[in-house]
Structures are given as C-alpha cells and as structure tokens.
C-alpha cells in the first residue's frame, strides 16, 4: 500500500478530484496555503495499491499543467520614504508536488 500526497493549485484540484473519483480512487482533500506565493493550495491524500501508483501519477501529471501567471509584488522605492510601488512579476504556477510514501498499515474503521 502507498500513500500519495499531492500538493496542487486550487485551480487544478476540482478537475483532478473528479478524474480520480471517476477512476475509483478515494481522495482526501485538505485546504493548504503555499509559502512562496502565499496562495491557496489543495493537498490531496490518495491511498492506493502499489500497482496503481503509476496510473495515479499519470492522472496528476495530465490534470496539473504548469502555466505562467502575473503576480503583483511590492517594491521599495529609493530612500527612506517607506513607499512601496507594486509591479508585476511573471511566475510559473500549477503542476504538482507529489510524495509517494510506503504505508505499513491501513485500517478503515
């Protein structure tokens, strides 16, 4: 038994969960916040048999594509004025951070 922990962007979570459920994989959804963009993420916990790991990873890869997004970042203006002028920065978002962990024991009580 394996536990797949997938951290995905909120925009990708709904479709990913739908596809996983259609393929009969149970999913536990946790609302989380990323440290870099401080934006909402979704952490999914998916318990699977060892032989299903590659199938689930393929689904995650298909549904969670990376893309470019503009974010507004404050920038200090010269001097000690304390004035911040926002400017746009293009960053890559999406995709998934995935951990696959061995499970010693699984109980459904």
């Amino acid at each position: 038994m394996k536990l797949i922990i997938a951290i995905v962007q909120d925009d990708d979570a709904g479709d990913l969960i739908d596809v996983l459920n259609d393929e009969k994989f149970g999913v536990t959804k946790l609302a989380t916040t990323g440290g870099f963009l401080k934006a909402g993420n979704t952490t999914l916990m998916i318990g699977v048999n060892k032989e299903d790991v590659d199938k689930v990873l393929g689904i995650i890869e298909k549904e969670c594509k990376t893309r470019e997004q503009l974010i507004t970042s404050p920038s200090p203006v010269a001097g000690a004025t304390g004035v911040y002028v926002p400017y746009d920065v293009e960053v890559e978002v999406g995709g998934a951070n995935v951990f696959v962990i061995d499970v010693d024991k699984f109980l459904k009580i």
Side-chain angles (χ1 to χ4, degrees):
M1 185 98 195
K2 300 286 187 176
L3 175 64
I4 299 174
I5 300 171
I7 303 164
V8 303
Q9 196 172 40
D10 283 345
D11 293 343
D12 297 327
D15 290 339
L16 176 57
I17 291 169
D18 289 344
V19 173
L20 289 168
N21 287 164
D22 289 346
E23 294 292 327
K24 307 295 185 225
F25 293 110
V27 179
T28 299
K29 175 184 171 184
L30 304 170
T32 54
T33 302
F36 176 64
L37 297 177
K38 297 182 178 43
N41 290 332
T42 299
T43 299
L44 303 176
M45 297 191 309
I46 310 150
V48 298
N49 292 320
K50 185 178 180 179
E51 59 271 8
D52 291 325
V53 169
D54 289 337
K55 183 175 184 178
V56 171
L57 294 178
I59 292 169
I60 294 169
E61 186 174 3
K62 182 178 177 229
E63 295 298 321
C64 301
K65 298 290 185 191
T66 58
R67 55 201 170 271
E68 299 294 321
Q69 178 177 321
L70 285 176
I71 64 165
T72 301
S73 176
S75 170
V77 174
T81 61
V83 175
Y84 285 86
V85 177
Y87 66 98
D88 291 334
V89 176
E90 191 170 37
V91 296
E92 188 176 271
V93 298
N97 293 316
V98 181
F99 302 88
V100 180
I101 301 168
D102 288 324
V103 175
D104 291 332
K105 186 185 245 184
F106 170 75
L107 301 171
K108 194 168 185 175
I109 301 174

